[in-house]
């Protein structure tokens, strides 16, 4: 139908875009990467960190003619590192909030994140399921605030469906955040996809 992300600015918050400055499949989008910043290491280089962000970015922006095309290859992008691969701690939520402020100032209309926060190293600042009310954690409140400004905020529900936690993670619990679950090729919910509702009983994923 011709929807290729034309005129849209998308902000991706993740753990990095490893080697994204050299991958041929991303050549066409590279002139439309508007800004990059690593909030973990306080530097502009996002291409020397994790590959998870490169994977999610490629789902949107990659373009290999006659082989593969992402969902929004003609969009413009802001790429931010907010996830610290060396530790799981609450500062990552503040990194996300800081990235959200920069993305808003750049005019981003969509935020996309495939991260979630529940329990932190040594239990410091950890959340319980009861904290996932849709408006309690730092990252969830930041996402809701972005949504109140007209930004579409998408976040993965999480991969805890088959684990002890089972439920969604922050910020997927957000009142105004689109939590995205996973289905298999038959359209059935996968076993690993995190389950709702949030702690306030709101239906999740969206």
């Amino acid at each position: 139908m011709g929807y290729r992300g034309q005129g849209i600015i998308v902000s991706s918050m993740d753990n990095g875009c490893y080697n994204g400055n050299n991958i041929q499949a991303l050549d066409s989008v590279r002139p439309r990467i508007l800004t990059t910043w690593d909030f973990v290491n306080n530097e502009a280089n996002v291409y020397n960190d994790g590959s998870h962000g490169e994977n999610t970015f490629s789902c949107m922006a990659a373009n290999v003619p006659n082989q593969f095309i992402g969902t929004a290859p003609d969009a413009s992008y802001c790429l931010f590192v907010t996830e610290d691969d060396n530790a799981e701690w609450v500062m990552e939520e503040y990194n996300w909030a800081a990235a959200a402020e920069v993305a808003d100032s750049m005019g981003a209309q969509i935020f996309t994140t495939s991260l979630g926060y529940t329990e932190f190293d040594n239990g410091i600042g950890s959340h319980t399921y009861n904290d996932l009310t849709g408006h309690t954690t730092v990252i969830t409140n930041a996402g809701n605030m972005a949504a109140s400004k007209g930004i579409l905020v998408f976040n993965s529900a999480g991969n805890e469906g088959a684990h002890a936690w089972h439920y969604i993670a922050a910020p997927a619990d957000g009142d105004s955040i689109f939590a995205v679950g996973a289905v298999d090729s038959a359209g059935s919910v996968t076993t690993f996809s995190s389950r709702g509702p949030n702690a306030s009983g709101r239906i999740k994923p969206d």
Side-chain angles (χ1 to χ4, degrees), residues 3-23:
Y3 299 123
R4 297 168 57 96
Q6 307 96 315
I8 300 296
I9 299 175
V10 180
S11 176
S12 173
M13 293 81 146
D14 214 293
N15 74 336
C17 191
Y18 184 74
N19 203 36
N21 53 334
N22 296 314
I23 294 173

Side-chain angles (χ1 to χ4, degrees), residues 76-131:
S76 298
Y77 291 90
C78 306
L79 302 180
F80 299 116
V81 176
T82 61
E83 167 78 2
D84 187 345
D85 277 347
N86 296 314
E88 192 73 356
W89 60 316
V90 73
M91 191 63 200
E92 293 164 296
E93 296 191 32
Y94 288 92
N95 290 342
W96 193 97
E101 287 206 49
V102 176
D104 181 28
S105 74
M106 297 290 294
Q109 297 116 312
I110 296 174
F111 292 176
T112 179
T113 305
S114 188
L115 303 169
Y117 298 98
T118 55
E119 298 170 314
F120 297 119
D121 294 347
N122 302 314
I124 299 172
S126 287
H127 307 311
T128 66
Y129 172 69
N130 289 332
D131 293 326

